């Protein structure tokens, strides 16, 4: 039978591993999000409004990978099959290919905002797990505020695109 200390340590390890898996599941969608951000930034209609987004997302991905690794005893190589889920994201992006112009833009902006809000939920969860003033908490707070700004920008662009697409 496990001692109280052994039981507590085992429970903590399971929680850390669960957190690492949670973060990695978010990372599975991140490469599709970066690709979508690149596609949106390349749209002349955006007029540079989203040029920063793909770079910010890539920086956040690097941080999230380190955060997951710090909570996991499973090597990052194990996660390669998980990133096969990004194929599903590519399929989702491929469904937008037949669409052109304003409709595609409107749907893409909505999808990008949804991805950013999901990522924000991950940062919020991290903030709830780490006390204020903790170095990790401070970085999570920066990314959480950044996600809020990104979502607000995307919402404004989506609204403008929707008006253009569907009329006032």
């Amino acid at each position: 039978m496990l001692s109280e200390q052994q039981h507590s340590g085992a429970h903590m390890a399971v929680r850390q591993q669960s957190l690492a898996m949670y973060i990695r599941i978010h990372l599975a969608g991140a490469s599709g999000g970066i690709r979508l951000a690149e596609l949106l930034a390349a749209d002349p209609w955006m007029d540079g409004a989203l040029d920063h987004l793909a770079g910010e997302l890539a920086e956040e991905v690097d941080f999230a990978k380190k955060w997951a690794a710090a909570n996991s005893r499973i090597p990052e190589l194990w996660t390669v099959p998980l990133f096969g889920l990004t194929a599903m994201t590519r399929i989702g992006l491929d469904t937008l290919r037949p669409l052109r112009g304003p409709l595609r833009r409107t749907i893409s902006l909505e999808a990008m905002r949804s991805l950013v809000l999901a990522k924000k939920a991950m940062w919020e969860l991290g903030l709830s797990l780490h006390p204020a003033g903790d170095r990790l908490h401070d970085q999570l707070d920066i990314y959480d505020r950044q996600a809020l700004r990104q979502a607000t920008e995307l919402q404004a662009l989506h609204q403008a695109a929707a008006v253009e697409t569907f009329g006032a």
Side-chain angles (χ1 to χ4, degrees):
M1 197 156 152
L2 294 175
S3 70
E4 182 70 29
Q5 186 177 18
Q6 289 171 322
H7 179 72
S8 177
H11 183 66
M12 178 67 121
V14 168
R15 286 191 347 208
Q16 286 180 308
Q17 203 58 51
S18 295
L19 176 60
M21 182 58 66
Y22 172 84
I23 297 165
R24 288 174 176 148
I25 288 169
H26 274 274
L27 285 168
S31 68
I34 291 171
R35 180 68 185 127
L36 182 55
E38 291 167 346
L39 291 170
L40 284 167
D43 182 340
W45 184 89
M46 297 297 161
D47 195 29
L50 294 179
D51 288 355
H52 62 283
L53 188 56
E56 289 175 359
L57 295 175
E59 178 186 318
E60 293 170 352
V61 163
D62 288 341
F63 173 82
K65 284 180 181 178
K66 291 173 189 163
W67 183 28
N71 285 283
S72 179
R73 288 183 275 158
I74 299 172
E76 288 299 309
L77 293 176
W78 177 87
T79 63
V80 171
L82 178 62
F83 289 97
L85 292 174
T86 59
M88 291 179 359
T89 305
R90 283 191 205 101
I91 291 167
L93 290 175
D94 286 345
T95 63
L96 295 175
R97 285 182 203 262
L99 302 176
R100 296 282 178 244
L103 181 58
R104 179 180 180 171
R105 179 181 305 121
T106 301
I107 292 169
S108 296
L109 284 164
E110 185 175 323
M112 188 74 243
R113 184 166 180 263
S114 294
L115 289 169
V116 166
L117 290 172
K119 172 191 66 171
K120 185 175 183 333
M122 179 182 69
W123 300 139
E124 291 168 354
L125 178 128
L127 286 169
S128 71
L129 298 175
H130 299 280
D134 178 272
R135 189 176 57 88
L136 185 57
H137 183 278
D138 293 346
Q139 188 61 54
L140 290 164
D141 186 53
I142 289 168
Y143 287 137
D144 183 58
R145 284 185 277 117
Q146 181 168 282
L148 178 59
R149 177 187 47 78
Q150 292 164 347
T152 301
E153 292 169 349
L154 289 161
Q155 180 181 18
L157 289 166
H158 177 259
Q159 287 173 342
V163 166
E164 183 178 304
T165 303
F166 304 112

